[in-house]
């Protein structure tokens, strides 16, 4: 299952030949993650700008995802009558030609997970470069902690700005 190389504005998170490989087994549970070029889709950046709306379209043509910052949310979303065909280029697009959703994806469950560590951070904690989500060194080098768990247990002050404020979840079927 592979994401296509066109039709979206974000970058693949994995480096090299696996950047568009959505197969969790082939990528050590990484899949085909995408990193948007926007700098305020989560965390401190999103909090400072008042967050926004995340939208996902799952159809027989593929799976697309968008992030709309506050002040740039399409009116059709505000009106609770979304029309994805009228929106800008998605941040992420996995086309059916390379990864048919009905073959590779099963019914989904939405989970809001506040777990800070886990398999993914521990797997890239000592990795330098863009692979782990930042270009200024590994998480270990940036934090001085040997593991994600050690960092969280000993640096509670670094998480004082972390919170969830969710106005709503909406699901539409067409």
């Amino acid at each position: 299952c592979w994401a296509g190389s066109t039709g979206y504005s974000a970058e693949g998170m994995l480096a090299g030949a696996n950047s568009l490989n959505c197969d969790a087994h082939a990528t050590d549970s990484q899949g085909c993650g995408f990193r948007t070029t926007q700098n305020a889709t989560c965390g401190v950046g999103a909090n400072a700008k008042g967050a926004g709306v995340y939208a996902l379209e799952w159809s027989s043509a593929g799976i697309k995802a968008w992030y709309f910052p506050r002040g740039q949310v399409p009116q059709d979303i505000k009106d609770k009558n979304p029309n994805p065909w009228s929106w800008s280029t998605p941040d992420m697009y996995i086309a059916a030609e390379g990864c048919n959703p009905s073959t590779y994806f099963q019914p989904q469950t939405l989970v809001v997970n506040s777990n800070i560590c886990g398999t993914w951070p521990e797997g890239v904690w000592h990795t330098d470069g863009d692979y782990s989500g930042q270009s200024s060194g590994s998480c270990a080098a940036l934090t001085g902690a040997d593991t994600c768990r050690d960092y969280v247990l000993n640096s509670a002050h670094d998480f004082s700005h972390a919170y969830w404020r969710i106005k709503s979840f909406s699901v539409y079927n067409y």
Side-chain angles (χ1 to χ4, degrees):
C1 184
W2 290 81
S5 59
T6 62
Y8 52 87
S9 60
E11 303 170 353
M13 285 191 64
L14 293 177
N18 273 331
S19 70
L20 300 176
N21 189 345
C22 300
D23 183 347
H25 297 293
T27 60
D28 194 26
S29 296
Q30 304 302 303
C32 50
F34 289 82
R35 183 179 22 243
T36 179
T37 56
Q38 299 181 59
N39 194 22
T41 60
C42 64
V44 175
N47 294 348
K49 294 195 176 201
V53 170
Y54 301 90
L56 178 81
E57 178 191 33
W58 180 348
S59 73
S60 59
I63 300 173
K64 298 178 182 179
W66 294 261
Y67 174 76
F68 300 104
R70 182 180 296 266
Q72 297 177 27
V73 178
Q75 188 62 44
D76 57 309
I77 292 177
K78 294 178 189 177
D79 294 340
K80 301 216 178 270
N81 189 24
N83 179 10
W85 305 279
S86 68
W87 301 343
S88 59
T89 301
D91 295 308
M92 185 273 307
Y93 176 40
I94 301 172
E97 292 80 28
C99 187
N100 189 328
S102 62
T103 301
Y104 294 102
F105 294 88
Q106 302 299 314
Q108 302 290 295
T109 301
L110 179 63
V111 175
V112 177
N113 182 349
S114 294
N115 182 8
I116 298 172
C117 294
T119 304
W120 191 85
E122 292 298 348
V124 298
W125 194 256
H126 290 277
T127 304
D128 288 328
D130 290 338
Y131 181 83
S132 56
Q134 73 273 336
S135 57
S136 56
S138 71
C139 295
L142 291 170
T143 64
D146 192 45
T147 68
C148 179
R149 186 176 192 280
D150 288 344
Y151 172 60
V152 172
L153 288 174
N154 297 306
S155 304
H157 60 280
D158 286 350
F159 299 94
S160 62
H161 64 276
Y163 61 88
W164 291 101
R165 183 180 298 158
I166 300 170
K167 183 176 179 180
S168 67
F169 289 102
S170 301
V171 178
Y172 302 91
N173 292 309
Y174 294 96

